[in-house]
Amino acid sequence: MLRATIVLRNSNFKKHTAEVTAKAVSRADLDTPAAKPTATAAPEETMMPWNGWFGSFLKDKLGDEKYEKVRELILYRPNDYTGFEQLPRPNTKLPISEKDPTLMHKFRHPSPGSQPPVEMRETDASFGNAGDDPYDVTYYKRDTGRRYTSDPTSLHRDLEKIKLELLPEDDPRVKEALEEFEKGPGSSPGNKGVFATGKSDFDPSGLRATMSTNWEATEASLDANMPDHLPTPTWMAEQDEIVAWYEERDLPVSIGGTGYGNIPIGARVARW
């Protein structure tokens, strides 16, 4: 106890705390230079100078070599960089390179207060369109690849529509069948934006939340995301050269370009 009292009495901890003044920021100071933090790193001086006083006492009496032997004999992994503390101290340094010993990683360095604020984007062009919501992760409303296969109610709807269009339009039964077809399966009507907390209009389409999702809006979204491009083969870029090659040899022009799927001679040799 005497040792700890001497350490506290001779330390500069009291002087340091006396010089530091707590800074209070009001709401009116937000987004002003007064609210910006001035510190860019945690203080190196410990706030508990009495910590480890017994070890310092033994080290002074036994010497460095004997003290390390006793320390390794009594303590479990005494040189562990964390000190078996759940939350690392601000001055804890972790080597991150086997070749360069000067490369260190410190806890909360640089500190969050010295980093730029987080950018909360309302739109993100990387999601496909510039107006897409970056927080909307729903995929069913643009899953056109499984539109006619995953849902039993929409299975072969494209074929059913073609069949109805081929039937006589004046037949009352055909008109009734077309009306029923346009209505859809009738399931999942959605809550029309009325949640347990009241009426909400944050998404007029109704596809942002599961409770408000409805069949009509889903079909409209799938229609808007249906592919509208025609894929072309790679030989289309060289079609003029291909036609010229056949004409020079007075040969009939074959369909498409050849040479992409030729099997080497060695692969055609029988192996038995």
Side-chain angles (χ1 to χ4, degrees), residues 27-56:
R27 185 178 297 274
D29 294 333
L30 295 179
D31 298 330
T32 62
K36 293 183 178 180
T38 57
T40 58
E44 297 291 338
E45 185 178 357
T46 178
M47 300 182 67
M48 296 182 295
W50 61 87
N51 191 21
W53 70 270
F54 185 71
S56 302

PDB file of all heavy atoms in Angstrom, residues 27-56:
ATOM      1  N   ARG A  27     -26.943  21.197 -28.914  1.00  0.00           N
ATOM      2  CA  ARG A  27     -27.565  20.911 -30.186  1.00  0.00           C
ATOM      3  C   ARG A  27     -27.309  22.027 -31.210  1.00  0.00           C
ATOM      4  O   ARG A  27     -27.211  21.784 -32.411  1.00  0.00           O
ATOM      5  CB  ARG A  27     -29.070  20.711 -29.991  1.00  0.00           C
ATOM      6  CG  ARG A  27     -29.825  20.281 -31.241  1.00  0.00           C
ATOM      7  CD  ARG A  27     -31.284  20.070 -30.935  1.00  0.00           C
ATOM      8  NE  ARG A  27     -31.466  18.993 -29.991  1.00  0.00           N
ATOM      9  CZ  ARG A  27     -31.561  17.695 -30.342  1.00  0.00           C
ATOM     10  NH1 ARG A  27     -31.491  17.356 -31.622  1.00  0.00           N
ATOM     11  NH2 ARG A  27     -31.749  16.760 -29.438  1.00  0.00           N
ATOM     12  N   ALA A  28     -27.195  23.252 -30.718  1.00  0.00           N
ATOM     13  CA  ALA A  28     -26.945  24.373 -31.623  1.00  0.00           C
ATOM     14  C   ALA A  28     -25.538  24.331 -32.216  1.00  0.00           C
ATOM     15  O   ALA A  28     -25.283  24.940 -33.259  1.00  0.00           O
ATOM     16  CB  ALA A  28     -27.162  25.698 -30.890  1.00  0.00           C
ATOM     17  N   ASP A  29     -24.605  23.606 -31.549  1.00  0.00           N
ATOM     18  CA  ASP A  29     -23.223  23.533 -32.041  1.00  0.00           C
ATOM     19  C   ASP A  29     -23.013  22.437 -33.067  1.00  0.00           C
ATOM     20  O   ASP A  29     -21.905  22.318 -33.607  1.00  0.00           O
ATOM     21  CB  ASP A  29     -22.266  23.308 -30.866  1.00  0.00           C
ATOM     22  CG  ASP A  29     -22.240  24.492 -29.923  1.00  0.00           C
ATOM     23  OD1 ASP A  29     -22.513  25.611 -30.393  1.00  0.00           O
ATOM     24  OD2 ASP A  29     -21.945  24.292 -28.730  1.00  0.00           O
ATOM     25  N   LEU A  30     -24.038  21.628 -33.337  1.00  0.00           N
ATOM     26  CA  LEU A  30     -23.870  20.539 -34.294  1.00  0.00           C
ATOM     27  C   LEU A  30     -23.593  21.084 -35.683  1.00  0.00           C
ATOM     28  O   LEU A  30     -24.106  22.120 -36.081  1.00  0.00           O
ATOM     29  CB  LEU A  30     -25.126  19.665 -34.315  1.00  0.00           C
ATOM     30  CG  LEU A  30     -25.428  18.904 -33.014  1.00  0.00           C
ATOM     31  CD1 LEU A  30     -26.712  18.110 -33.165  1.00  0.00           C
ATOM     32  CD2 LEU A  30     -24.274  17.986 -32.637  1.00  0.00           C
ATOM     33  N   ASP A  31     -22.764  20.363 -36.436  1.00  0.00           N
ATOM     34  CA  ASP A  31     -22.353  20.745 -37.787  1.00  0.00           C
ATOM     35  C   ASP A  31     -21.609  22.068 -37.814  1.00  0.00           C
ATOM     36  O   ASP A  31     -21.628  22.803 -38.810  1.00  0.00           O
ATOM     37  CB  ASP A  31     -23.567  20.823 -38.726  1.00  0.00           C
ATOM     38  CG  ASP A  31     -24.259  19.479 -38.871  1.00  0.00           C
ATOM     39  OD1 ASP A  31     -23.554  18.453 -38.768  1.00  0.00           O
ATOM     40  OD2 ASP A  31     -25.477  19.454 -39.077  1.00  0.00           O
ATOM     41  N   THR A  32     -20.953  22.397 -36.715  1.00  0.00           N
ATOM     42  CA  THR A  32     -20.122  23.594 -36.643  1.00  0.00           C
ATOM     43  C   THR A  32     -18.716  23.185 -36.238  1.00  0.00           C
ATOM     44  O   THR A  32     -18.502  22.086 -35.724  1.00  0.00           O
ATOM     45  CB  THR A  32     -20.694  24.598 -35.626  1.00  0.00           C
ATOM     46  OG1 THR A  32     -20.688  23.989 -34.317  1.00  0.00           O
ATOM     47  CG2 THR A  32     -22.122  24.995 -35.999  1.00  0.00           C
ATOM     48  N   PRO A  33     -17.723  24.062 -36.443  1.00  0.00           N
ATOM     49  CA  PRO A  33     -16.358  23.711 -36.018  1.00  0.00           C
ATOM     50  C   PRO A  33     -16.243  23.408 -34.535  1.00  0.00           C
ATOM     51  O   PRO A  33     -15.345  22.664 -34.119  1.00  0.00           O
ATOM     52  CB  PRO A  33     -15.545  24.964 -36.403  1.00  0.00           C
ATOM     53  CG  PRO A  33     -16.318  25.582 -37.516  1.00  0.00           C
ATOM     54  CD  PRO A  33     -17.757  25.321 -37.208  1.00  0.00           C
ATOM     55  N   ALA A  34     -17.151  23.944 -33.714  1.00  0.00           N
ATOM     56  CA  ALA A  34     -17.071  23.690 -32.280  1.00  0.00           C
ATOM     57  C   ALA A  34     -17.360  22.246 -31.929  1.00  0.00           C
ATOM     58  O   ALA A  34     -16.935  21.748 -30.883  1.00  0.00           O
ATOM     59  CB  ALA A  34     -18.049  24.605 -31.531  1.00  0.00           C
ATOM     60  N   ALA A  35     -18.103  21.548 -32.800  1.00  0.00           N
ATOM     61  CA  ALA A  35     -18.467  20.159 -32.512  1.00  0.00           C
ATOM     62  C   ALA A  35     -17.442  19.162 -33.016  1.00  0.00           C
ATOM     63  O   ALA A  35     -17.535  17.982 -32.700  1.00  0.00           O
ATOM     64  CB  ALA A  35     -19.826  19.839 -33.129  1.00  0.00           C
ATOM     65  N   LYS A  36     -16.472  19.628 -33.795  1.00  0.00           N
ATOM     66  CA  LYS A  36     -15.491  18.697 -34.334  1.00  0.00           C
ATOM     67  C   LYS A  36     -14.489  18.294 -33.252  1.00  0.00           C
ATOM     68  O   LYS A  36     -13.994  19.150 -32.511  1.00  0.00           O
ATOM     69  CB  LYS A  36     -14.749  19.350 -35.511  1.00  0.00           C
ATOM     70  CG  LYS A  36     -15.650  19.599 -36.707  1.00  0.00           C
ATOM     71  CD  LYS A  36     -14.852  20.171 -37.863  1.00  0.00           C
ATOM     72  CE  LYS A  36     -15.750  20.376 -39.080  1.00  0.00           C
ATOM     73  NZ  LYS A  36     -14.993  20.936 -40.227  1.00  0.00           N
ATOM     74  N   PRO A  37     -14.184  17.020 -33.137  1.00  0.00           N
ATOM     75  CA  PRO A  37     -13.232  16.581 -32.116  1.00  0.00           C
ATOM     76  C   PRO A  37     -11.823  17.026 -32.477  1.00  0.00           C
ATOM     77  O   PRO A  37     -11.440  17.077 -33.653  1.00  0.00           O
ATOM     78  CB  PRO A  37     -13.372  15.059 -32.144  1.00  0.00           C
ATOM     79  CG  PRO A  37     -13.866  14.745 -33.506  1.00  0.00           C
ATOM     80  CD  PRO A  37     -14.740  15.892 -33.914  1.00  0.00           C
ATOM     81  N   THR A  38     -11.058  17.359 -31.477  1.00  0.00           N
ATOM     82  CA  THR A  38      -9.681  17.798 -31.680  1.00  0.00           C
ATOM     83  C   THR A  38      -8.687  16.672 -31.500  1.00  0.00           C
ATOM     84  O   THR A  38      -7.592  16.722 -32.050  1.00  0.00           O
ATOM     85  CB  THR A  38      -9.348  18.933 -30.697  1.00  0.00           C
ATOM     86  OG1 THR A  38      -9.584  18.472 -29.348  1.00  0.00           O
ATOM     87  CG2 THR A  38     -10.239  20.141 -30.969  1.00  0.00           C
ATOM     88  N   ALA A  39      -9.027  15.668 -30.721  1.00  0.00           N
ATOM     89  CA  ALA A  39      -8.111  14.551 -30.473  1.00  0.00           C
ATOM     90  C   ALA A  39      -8.187  13.557 -31.627  1.00  0.00           C
ATOM     91  O   ALA A  39      -9.256  13.232 -32.129  1.00  0.00           O
ATOM     92  CB  ALA A  39      -8.462  13.857 -29.163  1.00  0.00           C
ATOM     93  N   THR A  40      -7.038  13.084 -32.066  1.00  0.00           N
ATOM     94  CA  THR A  40      -6.962  12.087 -33.135  1.00  0.00           C
ATOM     95  C   THR A  40      -6.447  10.748 -32.641  1.00  0.00           C
ATOM     96  O   THR A  40      -6.380   9.800 -33.411  1.00  0.00           O
ATOM     97  CB  THR A  40      -6.048  12.595 -34.254  1.00  0.00           C
ATOM     98  OG1 THR A  40      -4.746  12.868 -33.719  1.00  0.00           O
ATOM     99  CG2 THR A  40      -6.623  13.854 -34.879  1.00  0.00           C
ATOM    100  N   ALA A  41      -6.086  10.652 -31.378  1.00  0.00           N
ATOM    101  CA  ALA A  41      -5.580   9.393 -30.828  1.00  0.00           C
ATOM    102  C   ALA A  41      -5.849   9.377 -29.337  1.00  0.00           C
ATOM    103  O   ALA A  41      -6.046  10.411 -28.695  1.00  0.00           O
ATOM    104  CB  ALA A  41      -4.086   9.232 -31.107  1.00  0.00           C
ATOM    105  N   ALA A  42      -5.874   8.175 -28.794  1.00  0.00           N
ATOM    106  CA  ALA A  42      -6.090   8.019 -27.358  1.00  0.00           C
ATOM    107  C   ALA A  42      -4.825   8.427 -26.600  1.00  0.00           C
ATOM    108  O   ALA A  42      -3.707   8.297 -27.116  1.00  0.00           O
ATOM    109  CB  ALA A  42      -6.444   6.576 -27.034  1.00  0.00           C
ATOM    110  N   PRO A  43      -4.945   8.926 -25.390  1.00  0.00           N
ATOM    111  CA  PRO A  43      -3.755   9.323 -24.624  1.00  0.00           C
ATOM    112  C   PRO A  43      -2.897   8.119 -24.276  1.00  0.00           C
ATOM    113  O   PRO A  43      -3.398   7.040 -23.980  1.00  0.00           O
ATOM    114  CB  PRO A  43      -4.345   9.979 -23.368  1.00  0.00           C
ATOM    115  CG  PRO A  43      -5.728   9.407 -23.247  1.00  0.00           C
ATOM    116  CD  PRO A  43      -6.195   9.176 -24.651  1.00  0.00           C
ATOM    117  N   GLU A  44      -1.593   8.303 -24.365  1.00  0.00           N
ATOM    118  CA  GLU A  44      -0.662   7.221 -24.060  1.00  0.00           C
ATOM    119  C   GLU A  44      -0.460   7.042 -22.559  1.00  0.00           C
ATOM    120  O   GLU A  44      -0.082   5.980 -22.100  1.00  0.00           O
ATOM    121  CB  GLU A  44       0.692   7.497 -24.734  1.00  0.00           C
ATOM    122  CG  GLU A  44       0.634   7.524 -26.246  1.00  0.00           C
ATOM    123  CD  GLU A  44       0.358   6.151 -26.834  1.00  0.00           C
ATOM    124  OE1 GLU A  44       0.620   5.153 -26.148  1.00  0.00           O
ATOM    125  OE2 GLU A  44      -0.129   6.088 -27.986  1.00  0.00           O
ATOM    126  N   GLU A  45      -0.693   8.089 -21.783  1.00  0.00           N
ATOM    127  CA  GLU A  45      -0.479   8.008 -20.343  1.00  0.00           C
ATOM    128  C   GLU A  45      -1.624   7.251 -19.680  1.00  0.00           C
ATOM    129  O   GLU A  45      -2.798   7.481 -19.976  1.00  0.00           O
ATOM    130  CB  GLU A  45      -0.373   9.411 -19.758  1.00  0.00           C
ATOM    131  CG  GLU A  45      -0.028   9.413 -18.275  1.00  0.00           C
ATOM    132  CD  GLU A  45       0.126  10.822 -17.741  1.00  0.00           C
ATOM    133  OE1 GLU A  45       0.025  11.757 -18.552  1.00  0.00           O
ATOM    134  OE2 GLU A  45       0.341  10.969 -16.531  1.00  0.00           O
ATOM    135  N   THR A  46      -1.286   6.325 -18.823  1.00  0.00           N
ATOM    136  CA  THR A  46      -2.291   5.515 -18.166  1.00  0.00           C
ATOM    137  C   THR A  46      -3.088   6.335 -17.164  1.00  0.00           C
ATOM    138  O   THR A  46      -2.568   7.286 -16.563  1.00  0.00           O
ATOM    139  CB  THR A  46      -1.637   4.318 -17.461  1.00  0.00           C
ATOM    140  OG1 THR A  46      -2.648   3.567 -16.778  1.00  0.00           O
ATOM    141  CG2 THR A  46      -0.613   4.782 -16.442  1.00  0.00           C
ATOM    142  N   MET A  47      -4.342   5.973 -17.005  1.00  0.00           N
ATOM    143  CA  MET A  47      -5.198   6.612 -16.014  1.00  0.00           C
ATOM    144  C   MET A  47      -5.213   5.836 -14.702  1.00  0.00           C
ATOM    145  O   MET A  47      -5.927   6.207 -13.781  1.00  0.00           O
ATOM    146  CB  MET A  47      -6.615   6.740 -16.570  1.00  0.00           C
ATOM    147  CG  MET A  47      -6.694   7.581 -17.836  1.00  0.00           C
ATOM    148  SD  MET A  47      -8.380   7.771 -18.460  1.00  0.00           S
ATOM    149  CE  MET A  47      -9.100   8.768 -17.142  1.00  0.00           C
ATOM    150  N   MET A  48      -4.454   4.738 -14.668  1.00  0.00           N
ATOM    151  CA  MET A  48      -4.326   3.939 -13.439  1.00  0.00           C
ATOM    152  C   MET A  48      -2.843   3.691 -13.153  1.00  0.00           C
ATOM    153  O   MET A  48      -2.331   2.593 -13.353  1.00  0.00           O
ATOM    154  CB  MET A  48      -5.071   2.607 -13.583  1.00  0.00           C
ATOM    155  CG  MET A  48      -6.562   2.751 -13.759  1.00  0.00           C
ATOM    156  SD  MET A  48      -7.424   1.164 -13.860  1.00  0.00           S
ATOM    157  CE  MET A  48      -6.765   0.506 -15.383  1.00  0.00           C
ATOM    158  N   PRO A  49      -2.120   4.723 -12.742  1.00  0.00           N
ATOM    159  CA  PRO A  49      -0.673   4.556 -12.529  1.00  0.00           C
ATOM    160  C   PRO A  49      -0.333   3.580 -11.405  1.00  0.00           C
ATOM    161  O   PRO A  49       0.798   3.105 -11.333  1.00  0.00           O
ATOM    162  CB  PRO A  49      -0.209   5.980 -12.197  1.00  0.00           C
ATOM    163  CG  PRO A  49      -1.428   6.664 -11.677  1.00  0.00           C
ATOM    164  CD  PRO A  49      -2.578   6.077 -12.422  1.00  0.00           C
ATOM    165  N   TRP A  50      -1.288   3.301 -10.519  1.00  0.00           N
ATOM    166  CA  TRP A  50      -1.021   2.361  -9.437  1.00  0.00           C
ATOM    167  C   TRP A  50      -1.089   0.907  -9.899  1.00  0.00           C
ATOM    168  O   TRP A  50      -0.683   0.002  -9.180  1.00  0.00           O
ATOM    169  CB  TRP A  50      -2.038   2.585  -8.321  1.00  0.00           C
ATOM    170  CG  TRP A  50      -3.462   2.359  -8.782  1.00  0.00           C
ATOM    171  CD1 TRP A  50      -4.146   1.198  -8.814  1.00  0.00           C
ATOM    172  CD2 TRP A  50      -4.325   3.352  -9.321  1.00  0.00           C
ATOM    173  NE1 TRP A  50      -5.385   1.378  -9.332  1.00  0.00           N
ATOM    174  CE2 TRP A  50      -5.547   2.707  -9.654  1.00  0.00           C
ATOM    175  CE3 TRP A  50      -4.206   4.727  -9.557  1.00  0.00           C
ATOM    176  CZ2 TRP A  50      -6.621   3.394 -10.211  1.00  0.00           C
ATOM    177  CZ3 TRP A  50      -5.277   5.394 -10.100  1.00  0.00           C
ATOM    178  CH2 TRP A  50      -6.472   4.735 -10.417  1.00  0.00           C
ATOM    179  N   ASN A  51      -1.625   0.680 -11.116  1.00  0.00           N
ATOM    180  CA  ASN A  51      -1.774  -0.681 -11.590  1.00  0.00           C
ATOM    181  C   ASN A  51      -0.400  -1.304 -11.852  1.00  0.00           C
ATOM    182  O   ASN A  51       0.434  -0.736 -12.545  1.00  0.00           O
ATOM    183  CB  ASN A  51      -2.601  -0.699 -12.878  1.00  0.00           C
ATOM    184  CG  ASN A  51      -3.013  -2.117 -13.258  1.00  0.00           C
ATOM    185  OD1 ASN A  51      -3.025  -2.997 -12.413  1.00  0.00           O
ATOM    186  ND2 ASN A  51      -3.332  -2.311 -14.529  1.00  0.00           N
ATOM    187  N   GLY A  52      -0.168  -2.493 -11.317  1.00  0.00           N
ATOM    188  CA  GLY A  52       1.095  -3.185 -11.484  1.00  0.00           C
ATOM    189  C   GLY A  52       2.176  -2.766 -10.519  1.00  0.00           C
ATOM    190  O   GLY A  52       3.361  -3.006 -10.761  1.00  0.00           O
ATOM    191  N   TRP A  53       1.790  -2.176  -9.407  1.00  0.00           N
ATOM    192  CA  TRP A  53       2.806  -1.701  -8.462  1.00  0.00           C
ATOM    193  C   TRP A  53       3.549  -2.860  -7.808  1.00  0.00           C
ATOM    194  O   TRP A  53       4.756  -2.767  -7.542  1.00  0.00           O
ATOM    195  CB  TRP A  53       2.163  -0.819  -7.393  1.00  0.00           C
ATOM    196  CG  TRP A  53       1.279  -1.572  -6.428  1.00  0.00           C
ATOM    197  CD1 TRP A  53      -0.040  -1.804  -6.563  1.00  0.00           C
ATOM    198  CD2 TRP A  53       1.685  -2.183  -5.202  1.00  0.00           C
ATOM    199  NE1 TRP A  53      -0.525  -2.522  -5.504  1.00  0.00           N
ATOM    200  CE2 TRP A  53       0.542  -2.778  -4.635  1.00  0.00           C
ATOM    201  CE3 TRP A  53       2.896  -2.302  -4.528  1.00  0.00           C
ATOM    202  CZ2 TRP A  53       0.572  -3.468  -3.439  1.00  0.00           C
ATOM    203  CZ3 TRP A  53       2.920  -2.986  -3.319  1.00  0.00           C
ATOM    204  CH2 TRP A  53       1.764  -3.564  -2.796  1.00  0.00           C
ATOM    205  N   PHE A  54       2.872  -3.977  -7.594  1.00  0.00           N
ATOM    206  CA  PHE A  54       3.546  -5.114  -6.961  1.00  0.00           C
ATOM    207  C   PHE A  54       4.587  -5.712  -7.900  1.00  0.00           C
ATOM    208  O   PHE A  54       5.681  -6.100  -7.470  1.00  0.00           O
ATOM    209  CB  PHE A  54       2.520  -6.172  -6.556  1.00  0.00           C
ATOM    210  CG  PHE A  54       3.103  -7.317  -5.785  1.00  0.00           C
ATOM    211  CD1 PHE A  54       3.545  -7.143  -4.479  1.00  0.00           C
ATOM    212  CD2 PHE A  54       3.231  -8.570  -6.363  1.00  0.00           C
ATOM    213  CE1 PHE A  54       4.097  -8.192  -3.763  1.00  0.00           C
ATOM    214  CE2 PHE A  54       3.781  -9.628  -5.652  1.00  0.00           C
ATOM    215  CZ  PHE A  54       4.218  -9.442  -4.347  1.00  0.00           C
ATOM    216  N   GLY A  55       4.258  -5.801  -9.186  1.00  0.00           N
ATOM    217  CA  GLY A  55       5.239  -6.300 -10.138  1.00  0.00           C
ATOM    218  C   GLY A  55       6.441  -5.388 -10.244  1.00  0.00           C
ATOM    219  O   GLY A  55       7.578  -5.852 -10.382  1.00  0.00           O
ATOM    220  N   SER A  56       6.203  -4.079 -10.190  1.00  0.00           N
ATOM    221  CA  SER A  56       7.330  -3.146 -10.221  1.00  0.00           C
ATOM    222  C   SER A  56       8.210  -3.290  -8.995  1.00  0.00           C
ATOM    223  O   SER A  56       9.445  -3.183  -9.067  1.00  0.00           O
ATOM    224  CB  SER A  56       6.802  -1.713 -10.330  1.00  0.00           C
ATOM    225  OG  SER A  56       6.014  -1.553 -11.486  1.00  0.00           O
TER     226      SER A  56
END
